[in-house]
Amino acid sequence: MDAKLEAKLESLPTEPGVYLMKDRRGEIIYVGKAINLRNRVRSYFTRTGDTRAFVSLLDQFLGDIETVLVHNEKEALLLENELIKKHKPRFNVLLKDDKQYISLRLDRTQPYPRLEVVRKYEKDGARYFGPYSSASAIRETLRIINRYFHLRTCTDHVLANRKRPCLLHQIGRCPAPCVYPVPEQDYRKSVDEVVLFLEGKAGELVDGLRARMKQSAGELKFEEAARIRDQLLAIERSLERQKVATTDFKDQDVFASHRDGDRLLVYVLYVRQGRLNGGQAFPLGSQEFPDEELLPSFVNLYYDQGNFVPEEVLLPLDIEEREGLEALLTERKGERVRVMVPKRGEKRDLVDMAQKNAEQAVIERRRTKDETEVVLRRLQERLHLRNLPRRVECFDISHFQGASIVASQVAATDGEIDKSRYRRYRIKTLEKQDDFASMHEVISRRLKRGQEEGDLPDLLVIDGGKGQLASALAAAKDLGVEGVDIISLAKSRDLEVHDRDEESNRSPERVFIPHRKDPIVLRQNSAELYLLARLRDEAHRFAITFQQKSMRKGNFHSVLEEIPGVGDTRKKQLLRQFGSLKRVREATIEELGEVLGPTLAERVHAALHGHPEEDSEDPIREASLADAGALVDEKSEEGSPPGSP
């Protein structure tokens, strides 16, 4: 350690604050917080017999240490959180907002509340249930609720504008408050029962339903009694599967961690109303600093993303900042939150359970990684690739009747979908359909950008046959790109069948590679073929979605924005009020006037009814705009960066 750094260590303050470790180039590599900055930072240099990587890397990388003083540990936690999100240091816990925490929201202030699937908690007075560990778990919960509790599923806009009942009413799963005068007190009973079901309060819910069943039977309403009987059976089966974890029936999040070298995995176990509600694993790489520092940083970042804050947070080890973390979570929740490190009893059993899940998740990830490595090596050998295809990108071209030509790029890293590398392309050099020329343009733009940024994949997969492959190879040759494998994957097709009694057969998926006339046919149902086909199908979906969105935007622009006085703001107001262009066209001048004012309403009404050439049966033009904001704002696909290259 140089003399300048030693002198800085001697002069560090003893107050609470945040410290920033920088490498010799001045880049921040770690942000930490401490109640006593001098003791915490000096502890890194006084550890004896510690073989952890983070101790040795300090002498190798550390160039400077900066400190920021604060008043207390709560402020230190807040500042650390902000600095981590701002600088993204390589050795800190980095949590990305990947929208994976699925919960249910119920706003009981509405006259006819409905359950919504959400990914963020807000202080809006509504009730939130969850989070749910998987989409399948929340689907099963919604299936039971929709079938037996009969809450509406339509949006507020549809509720206000529907003219006749939907299919759910016809099959007996919704009372249709959008059309019929359903008594609010009757609907409120169903809402209260849903709350009891989601809270896991089996006794109170079952007793109430049994009383209603007996009352209906006594009044000779046997169909109603039978419906409640079926509801009871379904609810009892569902609640039996929920294991009671504690006897105090509190909401708890239980954290545990497990290391595998420099890789850390944090597991969060969810307990709601004393019942296990699932869990979530968070694998974190390059985490070489001590667990007692990383765990509170993780907890702080986790709840800063808008996740539900429970009554109790259980941790596996003591942390220096426990009181500050408790105060911060209490402030976020608006009521007392306890951060505990249990040593015995039910709460300790929960921590041990979370620890076992963390260890098992590490084992599963290691096994999956090994299996993926085998699949990638088989794919390399079978397709005669120069590179092990760790980074794969797949491209597809989409158009609508020769117009609105777009392309998509999807990607996988080590066999897993990597949405951070998704891209969308608008074809710039062509005005009519030419798949080969379109593919040449897209691959040229991708490879040129890769050359400039030093970011080229191991393998390019082209959706198509020999022609598309030749176009991609020509683009690579024109740019002088070498070292990137390029193949194409052709879909299976129907084969001619001469015997009417014989079932239609399909050809296998075919892989075309350079300098080989005949395609390679991978073994059907193999992991290698599944990897390629999944990427190809994802590229097709992504391209179709972008192409449809582009078509809709063009249609809206041509119809609405050509009217003087109607710009982006007016267009959004109309679409959000009426839901679709067809509804806007059907609206009266008075209805339009409620949004636009009388003068502009007359102009819009006259303009829309002065376009006889516009075909109201056009499936693209009349596409449903239930989520109009997503269409007019042209938000990027989930997980993909906005804009196109």
Side-chain angles (χ1 to χ4, degrees), residues 98-348:
D98 54 1
K99 299 182 179 179
Q100 59 184 342
Y101 319 112
I102 311 173
S103 303
L104 290 173
R105 177 182 181 272
L106 183 67
D107 186 359
R108 302 179 72 174
T109 62
Q110 296 181 339
Y112 299 104
R114 74 182 183 105
L115 275 176
E116 300 175 84
V117 178
V118 297
R119 299 181 183 272
K120 289 292 182 184
Y121 287 82
E122 298 180 5
K123 294 182 180 180
D124 55 3
R127 286 291 307 273
Y128 289 85
F129 304 92
Y132 289 84
S133 56
S134 65
S136 59
I138 206 167
R139 278 197 299 267
E140 173 64 17
T141 301
L142 286 174
R143 185 190 67 80
I144 294 174
I145 291 173
N146 292 338
R147 183 168 184 177
Y148 296 108
F149 292 97
H150 301 169
L151 298 190
R152 69 177 174 99
T153 59
C154 57
T155 64
D156 295 341
H157 172 78
V158 173
L159 177 71
N161 293 279
R162 187 178 288 280
K163 298 294 192 300
R164 58 183 181 181
C166 65
L167 179 62
L168 288 177
H169 173 74
Q170 297 178 24
I171 63 176
R173 295 192 180 181
C174 179
C178 54
V179 177
Y180 299 121
V182 178
E184 286 191 29
Q185 62 271 22
D186 294 346
Y187 191 91
R188 190 66 58 177
K189 290 180 182 178
S190 297
V191 173
D192 294 338
E193 291 172 352
V194 167
V195 172
L196 292 174
F197 174 73
L198 292 174
E199 290 179 343
K201 295 181 179 178
E204 189 176 345
L205 175 59
V206 169
D207 290 345
L209 288 174
R210 282 178 178 161
R212 283 178 52 197
M213 180 178 66
K214 292 179 181 179
Q215 180 182 353
S216 297
E219 296 174 355
L220 304 182
K221 299 178 181 178
F222 298 117
E223 290 186 1
E224 175 68 13
R227 186 188 67 79
I228 298 175
R229 177 202 61 199
D230 295 341
Q231 183 180 2
L232 267 171
L233 292 175
I235 291 170
E236 288 175 338
R237 283 196 300 268
S238 175
L239 293 177
E240 281 175 1
R241 293 195 293 267
Q242 300 180 22
K243 180 181 177 181
V244 175
T246 61
T247 55
D248 52 6
F249 301 104
K250 291 183 177 179
D251 292 339
Q252 299 164 316
D253 282 351
V254 188
F255 291 82
S257 62
H258 185 71
R259 275 192 177 273
D260 184 13
D262 68 333
R263 298 190 173 274
L264 178 71
L265 185 139
V266 178
Y267 193 89
V268 188
L269 194 68
Y270 306 124
V271 179
R272 298 294 179 263
Q273 296 293 317
R275 295 178 180 270
L276 287 178
N277 198 36
Q280 186 80 35
F282 298 86
L284 308 164
S286 298
Q287 306 300 323
E288 298 175 341
F289 281 75
D291 293 359
E292 57 267 24
E293 292 186 34
L294 295 176
L295 190 59
S297 293
F298 175 89
V299 175
N300 190 12
L301 288 167
Y302 175 80
Y303 290 115
D304 186 60
Q305 289 189 341
N307 292 301
F308 172 74
V309 181
E311 301 169 75
E312 294 181 350
V313 174
L314 308 184
L315 302 180
L317 48 84
D318 280 312
I319 58 174
E320 193 178 51
E321 308 86 351
R322 187 168 70 174
E323 291 183 4
L325 183 60
E326 193 171 86
L328 186 59
L329 295 181
T330 296
E331 183 179 300
R332 285 176 178 162
K333 185 175 179 63
E335 57 185 79
R336 174 71 186 278
V337 176
R338 300 184 64 192
V339 178
M340 309 171 67
V341 184
K343 303 299 182 183
R344 63 183 66 86
E346 292 178 336
K347 292 182 173 63
R348 185 65 218 183

Side-chain angles (χ1 to χ4, degrees), residues 19 33-34 36-43 293 320:
Y19 57 94
K33 77 279 179 194
N36 186 315
L37 284 170
R38 180 185 296 177
N39 291 346
R40 170 60 62 84
V41 176
R42 286 173 61 85
S43 68
E293 292 186 34
E320 193 178 51

Side-chain angles (χ1 to χ4, degrees), residues 453-472:
E453 300 176 357
D455 178 32
L456 291 172
D458 300 313
L459 173 64
L460 294 182
V461 179
I462 310 301
D463 181 16
K466 289 183 179 180
Q468 285 83 355
L469 176 60
S471 297

